[in-house]
Amino acid sequence: MTGGTELSQFSIFGRIAAIAILLLGAGGCSRSDQTASQQVPAPGPGGFIPDTKPVPVARWIDATVPRGTTIRLSLIDTLSSATSRKGDMFRALVTDAVMVGGTVVVPSGSNILGRVGEVSPTSLPLEFERIDTPTGASAPLKARMADAGPGGAGRTVFRSTAPITVVLEEPLRIQVKQ
């Protein structure tokens, strides 16, 4: 009788194994309606599904802001004739976008980098040297203070967040991201 019990146990296990193989084989051969590149990513934490679209290729065009154009800035650094020295770097942000022909050429939030000129007790001249836009464009900049003569003569303190206006002394040639 033991031989019959072993035979029936083998038959049951054999049948289960055969069914499992058939199911696994059928699952592996089944075709998904979505290819690997079309599969929807699994939601991450908080149900966030990342964007899987390819990044479009950036298109850049050359633009020129004419000489004499005013640009409104807000200083990031505080400058003073008592503490600043010739060559000290300073930073400012463009507060109002500069448009040329209906196109934003210099977006607000662009960074202006400059240096302090020859400091005296009665003046703190600022030299504006470069502009970096949030889109990644960068260009040399030649500008002067609008509310004073060349170099900003007459002011000895510029506070952080102080609004200032500069005038381009040379055309600003910069790339604009489309």
Side-chain angles (χ1 to χ4, degrees):
M1 198 73 160
T2 35
T5 305
E6 289 175 16
L7 183 57
S8 65
Q9 285 178 348
F10 176 73
S11 297
I12 292 172
F13 290 123
R15 287 182 188 158
I16 292 172
I19 291 171
I21 291 171
L22 285 174
L23 290 175
L24 288 174
C29 292
S30 70
R31 184 169 178 251
S32 171
D33 289 339
Q34 296 179 333
T35 63
S37 64
Q38 294 174 332
Q39 290 180 352
V40 177
F48 174 75
I49 298 177
D51 186 5
T52 57
K53 296 176 196 158
V55 176
V57 176
R59 192 175 133 237
W60 295 87
I61 61 169
D62 293 327
T64 301
V65 181
R67 177 181 187 260
T69 301
T70 59
I71 302 175
R72 293 183 192 346
L73 309 175
S74 175
L75 280 176
I76 295 173
D77 304 305
T78 297
L79 304 170
S80 156
S81 60
T83 59
S84 299
R85 301 290 171 247
K86 181 179 178 177
D88 286 353
M89 299 289 296
F90 69 87
R91 301 164 296 155
L93 289 177
V94 174
T95 56
D96 298 336
V98 177
M99 305 211 25
V100 174
T103 301
V104 174
V105 176
V106 178
S108 62
S110 296
N111 288 297
I112 303 283
L113 301 174
R115 292 185 190 274
V116 174
E118 190 67 50
V119 179
S120 77
T122 59
S123 72
L124 181 62
L126 304 180
E127 299 168 359
F128 302 90
E129 297 181 346
R130 191 174 89 213
I131 186 165
D132 297 318
T133 70
T135 60
S138 182
L141 177 70
K142 180 103 169 129
R144 63 174 169 77
M145 299 286 295
D147 56 354
R155 285 182 76 173
T156 59
V157 175
F158 294 95
R159 302 234 182 267
S160 175
T161 70
I164 59 172
T165 302
V166 297
V167 178
L168 293 179
E169 291 184 321
E170 294 179 1
L172 171 64
R173 290 174 177 76
I174 192 163
Q175 289 193 321
V176 178
K177 195 175 197 177
Q178 295 291 300

